[in-house]
Amino acid sequence: MLYGRAYDIIKISGQEPLDLNDEQDIENQFGRITIYEIKSTTRELNDQFEGYFFALTTAELLVAQSLKNKYRFVFVNTTTKYVLEKTLQEVMQSATGF
């Protein structure tokens, strides 16, 4: 389901313990997990990163398509400290203008 290089971090919601070494526990509680890929830049851009292209790998695209809203891209401007989180669908909408 996940390619090792297709994500940077995960977020687990709730207070209940989750054993990340136990495949069955991960499957049982997958609804609590969100997978994130972080993309960053130092360029001076507006808060929507308009006019800037972040490259996405094939692995990231495949995992994002598979996991849908459980996979998010986080765009970070390290100069302005602005952070923008989007699903693949939102990234594609931004890229195509629709």
Side-chain angles (χ1 to χ4, degrees):
M1 183 183 315
L2 284 179
Y3 300 100
R5 296 186 182 172
Y7 68 99
D8 291 316
I9 61 172
I10 65 170
K11 178 181 176 182
I12 303 169
S13 63
Q15 300 287 326
E16 303 81 25
L18 173 62
D19 184 353
L20 294 175
N21 294 313
D22 182 345
E23 190 174 326
Q24 189 62 49
D25 198 25
I26 293 169
E27 286 182 23
N28 291 343
Q29 299 193 58
F30 193 72
R32 297 178 46 214
I33 299 172
T34 305
I35 313 299
Y36 290 90
E37 173 64 27
I38 301 171
K39 302 289 185 179
S40 65
T41 184
T42 58
R43 286 198 184 174
E44 291 284 340
L45 302 166
N46 68 24
D47 290 349
Q48 296 300 311
F49 296 88
E50 291 172 346
Y52 189 75
F53 176 77
F54 287 95
L56 306 179
T57 68
T58 302
E60 292 164 358
L61 290 172
L62 290 173
V63 173
Q65 288 173 334
S66 173
L67 297 180
K68 300 187 183 353
N69 290 337
K70 301 302 293 174
Y71 189 95
R72 306 283 175 99
F73 293 93
V74 176
F75 302 100
V76 179
N77 187 313
T78 58
T79 302
T80 64
K81 309 298 185 220
Y82 188 77
V83 176
L84 180 65
E85 182 179 320
K86 291 188 172 195
T87 63
L88 178 60
Q89 181 180 5
E90 293 166 335
V91 169
M92 298 306 268
Q93 287 172 344
S94 296
T96 61
F98 295 107

